[in-house]
């Protein structure tokens, strides 16, 4: 943290009442940040005050706050939660105009209620807060200036809290390196009861239970690291925790009841030898723990909005080698969905361990499906049958995955329980009327957010009926949604496409023993069937391969082979279009796996020329157009795209977003309502925005191969949704790519 004497310059002095770990660490952080004002400390223990002086944390201190109030503008209450109200009553009598007070208590309802009882209201100059940080050590001697860095501080202001007071408290914690969030008092106490108070309660109980055993010495002597890790927090201050449980009693009891129900469920599974039930509980817990690790380190899975990842792509480079890109995302999604709803066990190889696919996997875990892995692309799913899903405990969070959202809408329409589907900020901006409207025609009851956007709440227990539906726009996701809902409907469901789209759903349903008929442009499914588990081999994703297909096509001297790529006829538009532009692409070792055609794809540099992209190829390459725009920028002449309105409603408006980036690089282009014209030629470097769209981020990385300067691409965290090892593979073939993570 940079030291500057100007931080918190509006504060003439700061008083911390309570010189323990939390208060002492706050003072240490301020000193470390270069705070130039005077610091005062109050504590009933004179030894703590004396030690605070010797450590240089305070300029002066004592036992009575009144002596220091004339010299400060900000007061921090770091006393036990049960003592805050009496201190506040004393301060309210002597507080000077403009002074702001905040606290660090870990329960807010009790503090607020006590203050209201003592003062009649919560003063507007009081900002209730709670830093989510601590240690088992106590006292000012344990003060740590880094305690709050990259930790959250939750503020719980009232409706009439003074805005300027709130801003001053926010600045205080930001100077200490903390991230600020706001919650209501009630929500704060609910969350902390489950994530902090309950774990401490369990640790205290376990250690106390074992300590009272006759053989306790052997128990502790041979305890492994797991026991030490779990029980470490039982060394915390007993008096402090007694006060916390008294103050937050109702929320803690509710959390304890939930835990007891979970233990009872696990006890039943162990007693009955129910391996699938145990696996389901353990796998959900294991995955949730990994998620917690990612959240603590601020990695991106399911918290993508909190991270800012920047790509710096160096101009030039080469493209040579032999690589395999990750598994097909579309098939990875569908293998989990159908495997979970099948009867029996399904083994998946080549599963894409990207964030979109992991979101789908986790959602089914939350609905009671036991899933092993993923481990090096291998997933084992213990199916529960079409009617075996259980209601999740809360909303299903689907991250950035539009595929998950749209396909889940169809599956959830046939369940007996209500479920809410939500996602990250980007997904929650995307329109869902295209699936909600036809599902409603089938009898589904779906509530959407403003403008037909997520979150979607799908009401259970509805009787679905098959329909004949003409898609207004070619979309594999909408088609798949209706076919999946059709499994739960009475009668037949027929979906007519205006143009061919990817048929992974139809192929995989058939592989799971649920036939889907195809008559020209109509896909047809009958309700009332069943799925049977089996083996799925997921080929490499041609959408991911597309970035390297274009990279090799535009880079002089390139010679690259991509292994085991899926070449489904409904997905090879990118190859067809590149060949039409003059690309040198060869399919080797063509074969079939799990009903899907696969090949090794060799691509070498070739001079590309502009074309009018055939309209019949547009739906076959809809996801690959961002990188195809880069191919067009490196082709002689003009490339014209039309009839591509679908690109306007992807993760971003991909036509506009790509055009904006091309403008920055100096690529001549003209945007029309349903497409774009791109004039190939030389272009320079620059800084472009991906708008959180993974395909745009990767496309501009490829553009750097022929740019006359480096290209910086911002907001690239979402690349992990589809291609988690893209930077490593890009560097492996010779591209110059640096990944920089920045705090949001």
């Amino acid at each position: 943290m940079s030291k500057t004497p100007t931080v918190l310059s509006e504060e003439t002095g700061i008083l911390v009442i309570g010189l323990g770990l939390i208060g002492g660490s706050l003072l240490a952080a301020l000193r470390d940040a270069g705070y130039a004002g005077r610091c005062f400390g109050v504590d009933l223990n004179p030894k703590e005050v004396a030690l605070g002086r010797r450590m240089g944390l305070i300029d002066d201190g004592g036992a009575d706050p009144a002596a220091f109030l004339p010299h400060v503008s900000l007061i921090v209450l770091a006393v036990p939660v049960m003592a805050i109200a009496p201190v506040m009553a004393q301060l309210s009598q002597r507080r000077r105009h403009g002074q702001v007070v905040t606290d660090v208590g870990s329960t807010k309802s009790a503090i607020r209620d006590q203050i209201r009882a003592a003062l009649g209201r919560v003063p507007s100059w009081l900002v209730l807060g709670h830093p989510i940080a601590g240690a088992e050590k106590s006292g000012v001697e344990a003060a740590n200036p880094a305690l709050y860095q990259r930790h959250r501080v939750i503020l719980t202001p009232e409706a009439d809290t003074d805005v300027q007071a709130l801003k001053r408290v926010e600045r205080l914690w930001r100077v200490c390196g903390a991230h600020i969030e706001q919650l209501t008092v009630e929500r704060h106490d609910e969350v902390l009861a489950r994530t902090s108070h309950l774990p401490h309660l369990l640790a205290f109980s376990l250690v106390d239970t074992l300590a009272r055993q006759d053989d306790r010495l052997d128990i502790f002597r041979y305890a492994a690291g797991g026991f030490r890790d779990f029980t470490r927090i039982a060394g915390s201050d007993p008096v402090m925790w007694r006060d916390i449980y008294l103050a937050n009693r109702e929320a803690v009891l509710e959390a304890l009841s939930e835990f007891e129900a979970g233990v009872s469920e696990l006890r039943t599974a162990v007693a009955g030898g129910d391996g699938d039930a145990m696996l389901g509980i353990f796998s959900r817990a294991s995955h949730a723990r990994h998620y917690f690790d990612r959240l603590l380190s601020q990695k991106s899975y399911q918290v993508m909005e909190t991270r800012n990842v920047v790509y710096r792509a160096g101009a030039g480079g080469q493209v040579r080698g032999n690589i395999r890109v990750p598994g097909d995302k579309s098939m990875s999604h569908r293998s989990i969905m159908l495997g979970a709803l099948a009867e029996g066990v399904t083994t998946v190889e080549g599963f894409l361990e990207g964030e979109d696919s992991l979101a789908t996997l986790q959602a089914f875990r939350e609905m009671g499906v036991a899933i092993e892995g993923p481990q090096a692309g291998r997933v084992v799913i213990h199916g529960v049958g079409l009617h075996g899903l259980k209601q999740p405990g809360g909303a299903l969070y689907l991250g950035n995955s539009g595929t998950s959202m749209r396909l889940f809408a169809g599956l959830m329409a046939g369940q007996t329980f209500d479920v809410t589907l939500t996602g990250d900020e980007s997904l929650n901006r995307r329109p869902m009327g295209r699936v909600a409207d036809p599902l409603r025609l089938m009898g589904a009851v779906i509530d959407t957010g403003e403008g037909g956007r997520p979150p979607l709440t799908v009401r259970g227990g509805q009787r679905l009926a098959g329909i004949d539906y003409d898609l207004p726009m070619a979309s594999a996701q909408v088609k798949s949604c209706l076919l999946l809902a059709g499994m739960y409907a009475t009668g037949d469901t027929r979906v007519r496409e205006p143009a061919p789209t990817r048929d992974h759903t139809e192929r995989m349903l058939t592989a799971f023993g649920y036939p889907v008929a195809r008559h020209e442009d109509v896909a047809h499914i009958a309700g009332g069937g069943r799925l049977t588990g089996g083996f799925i081999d997921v080929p490499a994703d041609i959408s991911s391969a597309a970035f390297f297909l274009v990279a090799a096509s535009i880079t002089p001297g390139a010679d690259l082979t991509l292994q085991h790529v899926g070449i489904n006829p409904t997905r090879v538009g990118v190859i067809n279009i590149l060949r039409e532009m003059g690309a040198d692409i060869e399919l080797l070792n063509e074969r079939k796996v799990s009903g899907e055609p696969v090949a090794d794809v060799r691509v070498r540099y070739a001079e590309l020329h502009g074309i009018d992209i055939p309209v019949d190829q547009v739906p076959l390459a809809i996801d690959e157009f961002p990188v195809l725009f880069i191919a067009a920028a490196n082709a002689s002449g003009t490339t014209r795209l039309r009839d591509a309105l679908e690109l306007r409603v992807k993760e971003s408006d991909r036509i506009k977003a790509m055009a904006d980036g091309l403008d920055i690089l100096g690529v001549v282009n003209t945007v029309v309502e349903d497409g774009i014209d791109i004039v190939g030629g030389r272009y320079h470097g620059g800084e472009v925005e991906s708008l959180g769209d993974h395909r745009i981020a990767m496309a501009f990385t490829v553009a750097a191969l022929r740019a006359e300067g480096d290209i910086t691409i911002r907001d690239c965290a979402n690349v992990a949704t589809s291609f988690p090892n893209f930077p490593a593979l890009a560097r492996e073939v010779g591209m110059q790519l640096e990944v920089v993570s920045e705090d949001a």
Side-chain angles (χ1 to χ4, degrees), residues 447-487:
D447 303 325
T448 64
E450 184 179 353
R453 292 174 169 80
L456 306 183
T457 298
V458 186
R459 305 296 178 184
Q462 311 304 316
R463 293 176 60 86
L464 303 185
I467 59 172
D468 290 354
Y469 188 73
D470 293 347
L471 290 174
M473 178 187 298
S475 170
Q477 292 180 1
V478 178
K479 173 183 67 174
S480 297
C481 167
L482 300 181
L483 292 176
L484 295 176
M487 295 190 297

Side-chain angles (χ1 to χ4, degrees), residues 83-131:
I84 288 179
V87 175
M88 275 293 299
Q90 181 184 2
L91 289 177
S92 68
Q93 300 297 320
R94 303 185 180 187
R95 171 189 168 271
R96 294 175 174 232
H97 177 73
Q99 287 179 326
V100 172
V101 180
T102 187
D103 81 308
V104 298
S106 67
T107 65
K108 309 318 301 182
S109 293
I111 293 172
R112 183 185 63 182
D113 293 346
Q114 290 171 23
I115 290 173
R116 282 176 174 169
L119 304 181
R121 64 184 183 89
V122 177
S124 62
W125 41 264
L126 171 65
V127 181
L128 295 176
H130 177 210

Side-chain angles (χ1 to χ4, degrees), residues 392-415:
L396 294 179
Y397 180 83
L398 303 176
N400 189 246
S401 178
T403 299
S404 299
M405 178 73 72
R406 293 189 174 103
L407 270 60
F408 266 75
L411 289 175
M412 296 301 101
Q415 305 306 316

Side-chain angles (χ1 to χ4, degrees), residues 9 39 60 69 78 170 200 215 342 384 418 431 534 538 556 574 589 642 650 662 685:
S9 57
C39 294
D60 198 1
L69 289 179
E170 289 177 341
H200 279 81
D215 56 351
V384 298
D418 295 354
V538 178
V574 63
N589 191 23
R642 296 293 185 272
K650 289 289 186 177
L662 292 173

Side-chain angles (χ1 to χ4, degrees), residues 200-509:
H200 279 81
L201 189 73
L202 300 178
F204 282 126
S205 177
L206 177 61
V207 174
D208 177 59
T209 299
L210 296 180
R212 289 185 280 112
Q213 304 297 313
D214 290 339
D215 56 351
R216 59 186 178 276
L217 293 182
D218 281 346
I219 291 174
F220 291 129
R221 182 180 295 118
Y222 299 115
F227 176 82
R228 291 194 296 272
D229 290 343
F230 177 72
T231 59
R232 172 182 55 82
I233 54 178
S236 300
D237 183 351
V239 175
M240 177 186 75
W241 282 102
R242 177 205 62 189
D243 290 349
I244 287 173
Y245 294 129
L246 290 173
N248 202 28
R249 181 173 55 188
E250 296 304 320
V252 170
L253 287 174
E254 183 179 350
L256 187 59
S257 295
E258 294 170 354
F259 177 77
E260 289 171 340
V263 170
S264 177
E265 180 184 355
L266 185 55
R267 180 186 181 89
T268 299
V270 172
D274 189 341
D276 279 0
M278 283 187 276
L279 179 62
I281 294 168
F282 298 157
S283 61
R284 283 197 305 274
S286 175
H287 187 84
R289 187 61 179 82
H290 289 311
Y291 164 50
F292 178 60
D293 283 340
R294 288 170 179 262
L295 188 146
L296 283 183
S297 60
Q298 295 197 342
K299 294 179 181 177
S300 57
Y301 180 46
Q302 296 191 352
V303 286
M304 289 176 286
E305 301 96 319
T306 69
R307 293 257 289 158
N308 182 21
V309 175
V310 175
Y311 282 2
R312 292 176 183 155
Q318 61 180 6
V319 183
R320 301 184 68 85
N322 192 313
I323 61 172
R324 178 167 175 171
V325 301
D328 185 285
K329 185 167 71 164
S330 296
M331 291 185 63
S332 294
H333 280 303
R334 289 158 174 82
S335 67
I336 297 297
M337 293 178 182
L338 300 187
L341 297 170
E343 298 171 14
V345 176
T346 296
T347 299
V348 181
E349 296 284 358
F351 175 78
L352 169 64
E353 296 182 40
E355 296 182 357
D356 279 8
S357 308
L358 291 172
T360 291
L361 187 151
Q362 178 64 3
F364 278 101
R365 279 183 168 142
E366 292 178 14
M367 290 188 288
V369 181
I371 302 175
E372 302 174 50
Q375 181 76 36
R378 186 174 189 269
V379 180
V380 179
I381 309 159
H382 299 255
V384 298
L386 280 173
H387 303 283
L389 297 178
K390 299 177 181 177
Q391 185 169 22
L396 294 179
Y397 180 83
L398 303 176
N400 189 246
S401 178
T403 299
S404 299
M405 178 73 72
R406 293 189 174 103
L407 270 60
F408 266 75
L411 289 175
M412 296 301 101
Q415 305 306 316
T416 58
F417 50 82
D418 295 354
V419 65
T420 296
L421 308 174
T422 190
D424 69 6
E425 183 180 355
S426 171
L427 181 57
N428 284 348
R429 290 197 301 263
R430 296 166 68 179
M432 292 296 153
R434 292 189 299 154
V435 293
D437 291 342
L439 287 174
R440 290 174 179 134
L441 295 177
M442 297 178 73
V445 177
I446 301 177
D447 303 325
T448 64
E450 184 179 353
R453 292 174 169 80
L456 306 183
T457 298
V458 186
R459 305 296 178 184
Q462 311 304 316
R463 293 176 60 86
L464 303 185
I467 59 172
D468 290 354
Y469 188 73
D470 293 347
L471 290 174
M473 178 187 298
S475 170
Q477 292 180 1
V478 178
K479 173 183 67 174
S480 297
C481 167
L482 300 181
L483 292 176
L484 295 176
M487 295 190 297
Y488 294 93
T490 56
D492 297 343
T493 297
R494 298 178 179 85
V495 183
R496 177 174 285 103
E497 301 181 274
T501 64
R502 61 188 62 179
D503 62 355
H504 297 305
T505 299
E506 298 95 304
R507 287 175 181 261
M508 198 171 289
L509 279 167

